[in-house]
Amino acid sequence: MRAHRGPFRPEEAAHLLRRAAFAPAPGEAEEFAALGLDEAVSRLTSPRDPVSLAEADHLERTLSDSDDGDTLAGCWLLRMALSPNPLRERMVLFFHNHFTSSLRKVGSGRLMLGQLALFRRHGLGSFHRLAREVSRDPAMIIYLDLQRSTRDAPNENFARELMELFTMGVGHYTEQDIQEAARAFTGYRLREERFHFSRAAHDDGWKRILGRKDRFDGDAVVALCTHHPATARFMARKLARAFVADDPGEDVVSAIAASWKAHDGVVADVLADLFRSALFHDPRHRHARTRGPAELATATLRGLGMRLPFSRVAAHVRLMGQALLDPPTVKGWEGGRSWLNPASWLARRSFLIWAGLQANERNVALLKDGPREEEPLLRHLFRHLLGRTPAPDQASALLAILDRRGGIERSEILSSVLIHPSFQKS
Amino acid sequence: MDEQRFTDRRDFLRLLCASTASLTLLHSGVRAFSAGSPEIGKRRLVILELTGGNDGLNTLIPFEDDRYYRLRPTLAVPRSQVHRLRDGLGFAPSLPRLAGLFHEGKLTIVQSVGIDPPDRSHFTSLDRWHTGRIEISQRSGGWLARGLADLEAPSSGAPRAIALGDRAMPLLLRGFGPAALACETLDEMLPEKAVARVLHSRKLAEVEALFHGADADLVLAARSLQEALRRIRRLERAKTLNSTLGRKLADVLRILQSGLPVPAFFVRMGGFDTHARQAAVHPALLDEVDRSLAAFQKELRKAGLADEVLTMVYSEFGRRVAENGSAGTDHGAAAPLFFLGGGLPGGLHGPSPDLHDLLDGDPRPTCDFRRPLAQCLKHLRHPDPRRILGEPGRPLF
């Protein structure tokens, strides 16, 4: 990918952080700009901090027996908001919408959180490894019926989704490939909630898959699929929609696919290439993505540096149309502009106004440390939260509206910035 | 983003929202709701699921069949207590109001509905009912979601469907993304007071008008929806609908009365998995169904909506004919299904269960479960339910 040669000022850093870290925390854009683009990207893509986050770990241990979706999703949102490795959490969200599983079918909060932990460990690493781990993940084994699959009656659910939704995409395999691949995954079982391979239930016969003949087992089939040339482009398109634009151009997809091949599917390296590229920093890609509900909520909490009760945040996210841990179908959420409809728009505004009402000088650093004068404060909030400046007469018009009853509440200025349409975008 | 366009739209919107004219406009936007979309018109669908497997034979009782009494020595309902309908069939003692509706021609009974071959797992059976398919995969999405997607979206921002009583989106509505809503109670969907105060403030309207250029249509639609929700909040819940099920139907009723054109509703009532001591619980469950549905129909009639609103009542399967050793019944196959209102003909349709010709101890399904689902789609003026449900998806009437 051609490298970005332009400046890397706080506004470019903010663009990077909106994509890779949900939103810049107060002061973060300036801090990252000072590092320079190369170092800023390295810090995001090769986090040194451990994966664990003590507070969330504790919460998960306490609550993982719960099967209440809001409680479990709340634990996760806590991580998204507070993690020192935001890109890692961003990739957990990405893969939750790629290798989907649903609490509704899996029926165990512990196993669902376990799957997220798997994405947390491997989401920035090799995609080949990740896909192999996913095929042995207890939640996935339940979700796509692998434990019901026997030599005599192979269940095709996992094999089909592996090819169609997880790796190559339609058009690169046949129904017969699916049937043969299903045989390779027979014998995948759970024992005490852990993966267990039952040799007795496994079909170790010859199989012809994707034009090759062998006594393939499950791992071999995963490798065939993840190494298939179509997978690079399939994953590139998904990454482009997650990190570049709602409707990415083919040039973007091709560039990411080339990087995917060059880095053999090591996600952190592909993302590092992308974040350092001219394409990523092209002005046409600024604010070109619609934030999903979990992203919007996390951007609010990270951006303001503020805490809110997490299961209530999860409830808001659900009403915005994204019941975390419970994607609508195995295809996940469609994303992009499809997030926006009147009801979800109402839910988005309700959340932002709710967040704005909790904000005050004590719990929001942006207000506490921001300029005392109203107009400079407004510009400060615009720059920090939206990554833009108000249109020429917008600032005065807004302050005039807010001032009508005499005196302006600083938190009202904040709320007005949060409901700006640019905040719906990243 | 294009600041110039912002400014143009902004002036327009500021005029729109800041003047009293805008209030009138918003109001007429709300009133336009009652017109609904041209495809569906005023037709609405309410689906009530009796989850757990309702005992069809103790709901619609074959009181002239000796075999029923022989196979159910302790659980059979005595002949004298049955509300007689027709053809040797009668309703359970706790269903007097539904019996009344039957005699008025307002209740349509379809007999022996089920999945063939039956699967006696709750999970599999419910998934089949919800996807409208025998072969289930996690990709199917719901039959109602697929059906509604073919119809024109409701005008002015109404969700396409609302599921009440559970936070999780029921499978039959999955596949839309955010265009369907699921909430425990309607109140959950309405913003809390402090938030609502801001949402309805003139200040916010003006701030939004100042900012929102590209999404102006969305903002206006969301505002009309917000106004409709406010009106719904002001509507009182029908006092006769005071049980757990009743309160959910009362919320459905509030939305219907508000004129917000939501085409479909889903409500669920649990507790029908009566494996033990059935006589102690089943009559009370039916009593709640009877009172709630009768009051719901009465309110619909009062509002002049009885023919527009079709209510379907189903369960994932019926129960075994022979009672078990715990004075209960086990998972079965076919069961009767009910339609209320919707301009259907009323009466009793399909063959009664033949208790001399059972399928592993259960009444045989003679009506494919997809036919009533097709009827629901037909009610919503879906052009071709078979496209959604396959060849078996032929409407009944």
Side-chain angles (χ1 to χ4, degrees):
Chain A
M1 259 181 270
R2 198 164 58 78
H4 172 65
R5 295 277 169 240
F8 187 65
R9 298 161 299 187
E11 60 176 288
E12 282 81 20
H15 171 63
L16 172 64
L17 289 162
R18 280 196 297 277
R19 299 296 169 82
F22 299 101
E28 213 173 18
E30 291 73 15
E31 186 191 330
F32 272 67
L35 295 174
L37 177 58
D38 263 6
E39 183 53 32
V41 169
S42 298
R43 191 186 277 198
L44 286 163
T45 55
S46 23
R48 266 168 310 214
D49 303 298
V51 174
S52 80
L53 183 68
E55 184 178 355
D57 291 345
H58 173 73
L59 206 62
E60 283 186 10
R61 272 196 303 277
T62 326
L63 298 172
S64 63
D65 283 333
S66 162
D67 57 0
D68 177 62
D70 286 351
T71 305
L72 295 165
C75 289
W76 184 15
L77 283 159
L78 177 84
R79 281 188 196 276
M80 290 191 224
L82 302 180
S83 172
N85 310 320
L87 180 60
R88 217 187 262 291
E89 288 309 319
R90 181 66 188 84
M91 290 317 291
V92 177
L93 183 62
F94 175 88
F95 282 117
H96 176 55
N97 199 26
H98 180 75
F99 295 113
T100 54
S101 294
S102 150
L103 180 62
R104 181 183 160 274
K105 166 94 182 252
V106 174
S108 157
R110 193 168 39 243
L111 295 188
M112 287 304 296
L113 293 180
Q115 187 176 74
L116 299 183
L118 171 69
F119 297 152
R120 203 164 284 127
R121 277 195 306 281
H122 296 290
L124 283 167
S126 157
F127 182 72
H128 309 297
R129 171 88 193 269
L130 172 64
R132 188 171 72 230
E133 297 289 339
V134 164
S135 73
R136 296 154 176 254
D137 174 63
M140 180 59 78
I141 285 175
I142 297 173
Y143 183 61
L144 290 179
D145 303 306
L146 275 179
Q147 92 283 18
R148 294 197 201 180
S149 188
T150 63
R151 189 164 39 192
D152 296 333
N155 186 303
E156 293 171 14
N157 272 354
F158 180 77
R160 178 180 303 279
E161 307 312 1
L162 173 69
M163 294 188 185
E164 181 177 337
L165 299 176
F166 299 164
T167 59
M168 300 173 283
V170 283
H172 302 283
Y173 54 87
T174 64
E175 281 297 309
Q176 197 190 340
D177 288 327
I178 291 175
Q179 288 161 18
E180 296 276 282
R183 293 172 52 211
F185 290 104
T186 50
Y188 280 39
R189 293 287 178 275
L190 293 183
R191 186 178 279 174
E192 289 172 1
E193 296 195 340
R194 281 169 191 276
F195 174 71
H196 165 74
F197 182 69
S198 158
R199 200 157 292 285
H202 178 67
D203 177 348
D204 70 346
W206 290 88
K207 296 142 193 130
R208 179 175 282 284
I209 302 172
L210 298 170
R212 295 176 51 186
K213 200 171 171 204
D214 208 331
R215 299 170 77 121
F216 292 114
D217 63 9
D219 285 355
V221 173
V222 170
L224 274 182
C225 294
T226 58
H227 285 96
H228 192 281
T231 298
R233 200 169 177 87
F234 185 78
M235 292 308 297
R237 187 175 303 280
K238 281 209 162 176
L239 288 173
R241 291 192 74 218
F243 290 100
V244 182
D246 284 344
D247 304 300
E250 290 305 309
D251 55 333
V252 178
V253 178
S254 300
I256 300 175
S259 166
W260 181 280
K261 282 180 184 154
H263 294 294
D264 194 21
V266 174
V267 175
D269 294 347
V270 178
L271 289 178
D273 264 9
L274 176 65
F275 295 152
R276 291 183 179 121
S277 71
L279 271 176
F280 179 80
H281 290 279
D282 189 315
R284 77 189 146 110
H285 291 143
R286 275 227 190 138
H287 292 107
R289 280 191 69 255
T290 306
R291 278 178 168 144
E295 290 175 69
L296 184 76
T298 307
T300 307
L301 300 174
R302 279 194 98 89
L304 297 180
M306 175 179 165
R307 301 187 65 136
L308 289 169
F310 284 96
S311 62
R312 292 203 57 196
V313 175
H316 277 281
V317 168
R318 172 168 53 77
L319 289 170
M320 289 186 247
Q322 191 174 31
L324 289 171
L325 305 175
D326 190 17
T329 70
V330 66
K331 283 182 236 166
W333 295 278
E334 193 185 328
R337 289 283 303 176
S338 82
W339 284 123
L340 302 181
N341 63 46
S344 71
W345 187 266
L346 194 52
R348 280 169 176 250
R349 286 187 323 152
S350 298
F351 167 75
L352 294 170
I353 288 166
W354 175 65
L357 285 171
Q358 323 289 317
N360 57 48
E361 298 282 333
R362 270 169 291 124
N363 63 6
V364 173
L366 275 180
L367 287 179
K368 190 170 62 189
D369 306 333
R372 305 315 301 169
E373 295 286 317
E374 284 144 5
E375 185 158 340
L377 176 67
L378 179 68
R379 290 181 181 283
H380 174 73
L381 294 174
F382 253 73
R383 191 171 55 247
H384 175 74
L385 289 169
L386 308 179
R388 59 186 300 158
T389 49
D393 55 347
Q394 229 173 29
S396 50
L398 176 63
L399 293 172
I401 293 170
L402 296 181
D403 196 23
R404 235 183 347 186
R405 284 185 207 154
I408 306 180
E409 299 244 359
R410 287 163 72 81
S411 63
E412 265 193 344
I413 300 180
L414 175 68
S415 296
S416 305
V417 176
L418 287 177
I419 63 157
H420 191 282
S422 290
F423 197 67
Q424 308 289 333
K425 308 278 184 177
S426 75
Chain B
M1 219 170 277
D2 186 346
E3 286 299 341
Q4 190 51 48
R5 196 181 53 192
F6 248 55
T7 321
D8 295 343
R9 301 279 316 232
R10 186 185 83 202
D11 288 337
F12 166 72
L13 275 167
R14 190 193 289 173
L15 267 172
L16 200 71
C17 282
S19 66
T20 41
S22 75
L23 296 178
T24 324
L25 187 124
L26 284 175
H27 204 73
S28 65
V30 174
R31 233 183 289 122
F33 278 150
S34 30
S37 69
E39 274 293 328
I40 301 171
K42 289 180 168 180
R43 299 226 172 158
R44 307 283 179 263
L45 175 67
V46 179
I47 294 176
L48 168 59
E49 177 180 281
L50 309 179
T51 314
N54 178 41
D55 184 4
L57 286 167
N58 269 18
T59 303
L60 184 65
I61 296 153
F63 64 86
E64 286 179 353
D65 194 329
D66 291 340
R67 231 178 127 72
Y68 166 72
Y69 289 97
R70 233 176 301 134
L71 288 168
R72 293 198 163 183
T74 70
L75 286 181
V77 177
R79 209 178 263 232
S80 58
Q81 295 176 20
V82 168
H83 299 287
R84 297 185 177 211
L85 303 180
R86 241 183 54 192
D87 304 343
L89 294 165
F91 264 149
S94 41
L95 295 174
R97 297 167 188 81
L98 290 188
L101 285 170
F102 178 85
H103 292 303
E104 290 170 33
K106 302 288 189 336
L107 175 76
T108 307
I109 302 174
V110 186
Q111 298 212 75
S112 305
V113 180
I115 301 166
D116 191 15
D119 184 302
R120 291 169 180 83
S121 132
H122 292 292
F123 191 79
T124 307
S125 303
L126 280 169
D127 276 5
R128 286 177 175 169
W129 274 96
H130 280 233
T131 56
R133 291 188 171 148
I134 298 282
E135 291 300 324
I136 312 149
S137 84
Q138 291 299 320
R139 62 174 50 215
S140 317
W143 68 269
L144 188 52
R146 297 198 305 273
L148 288 168
D150 281 349
L151 303 173
E152 196 163 302
S155 54
S156 38
R160 294 214 187 199
I162 297 180
L164 280 158
D166 195 347
R167 289 172 182 179
M169 188 68 71
L171 181 54
L172 87 166
L173 285 173
R174 286 178 182 237
F176 267 146
L181 282 175
C183 45
E184 250 177 317
T185 67
L186 191 55
D187 288 338
E188 189 192 24
M189 221 174 79
L190 306 172
E192 62 184 72
K193 279 228 170 68
V195 173
R197 220 176 354 256
V198 179
L199 277 173
H200 293 293
S201 69
R202 172 167 295 231
K203 246 187 210 177
L204 183 79
E206 290 183 33
V207 171
E208 277 191 333
L210 181 68
F211 287 151
H212 288 250
D215 287 319
D217 296 341
L218 194 58
V219 172
L220 280 182
R223 282 218 158 251
S224 342
L225 178 60
Q226 179 184 307
E227 286 301 319
L229 290 175
R230 179 149 78 160
R231 295 196 315 161
I232 290 169
R233 173 174 267 170
R234 288 196 196 123
L235 290 172
E236 270 185 49
R237 276 201 195 85
K239 295 216 168 34
T240 44
L241 286 164
N242 47 15
S243 61
T244 310
L245 172 61
R247 279 189 294 274
K248 293 174 193 169
L249 290 174
D251 275 348
V252 173
L253 198 65
R254 287 203 291 170
I255 301 170
L256 289 170
Q257 286 169 334
S258 77
L260 186 72
V262 180
F265 299 86
F266 177 78
V267 169
R268 175 182 275 159
M269 173 175 174
F272 288 88
D273 196 16
T274 49
H275 286 283
R277 295 177 16 88
Q278 179 172 319
V281 287
H282 193 243
L285 292 168
L286 291 186
D287 178 64
E288 186 171 340
V289 171
D290 185 67
R291 288 172 191 276
S292 307
L293 284 176
F296 184 61
Q297 282 310 115
K298 193 172 172 190
E299 295 294 330
L300 287 177
R301 259 203 308 279
K302 266 199 259 171
L305 296 168
D307 283 345
E308 268 103 40
V309 180
L310 175 68
T311 305
M312 178 178 84
V313 185
Y314 80 101
S315 192
E316 70 263 39
F317 42 58
R319 306 192 80 81
R320 190 78 25 94
V321 184
E323 63 184 63
N324 63 24
S326 323
T329 50
D330 297 321
H331 301 179
L337 174 150
F338 309 104
F339 285 114
L340 288 100
L344 290 191
L348 199 52
H349 302 268
S352 302
D354 180 351
L355 302 190
H356 291 276
D357 177 27
L358 297 174
L359 179 68
D360 301 327
D362 300 326
R364 286 180 186 277
T366 56
C367 172
D368 189 279
F369 70 110
R370 284 161 287 197
R371 296 199 66 189
L373 306 186
Q375 190 66 43
C376 291
L377 291 175
K378 184 183 173 192
H379 178 74
L380 294 177
R381 299 192 202 279
H382 190 284
D384 184 10
R386 269 181 292 192
R387 200 167 65 226
I388 303 300
L389 297 160
E391 210 38 49
R394 287 172 294 125
L396 292 149
F397 307 103

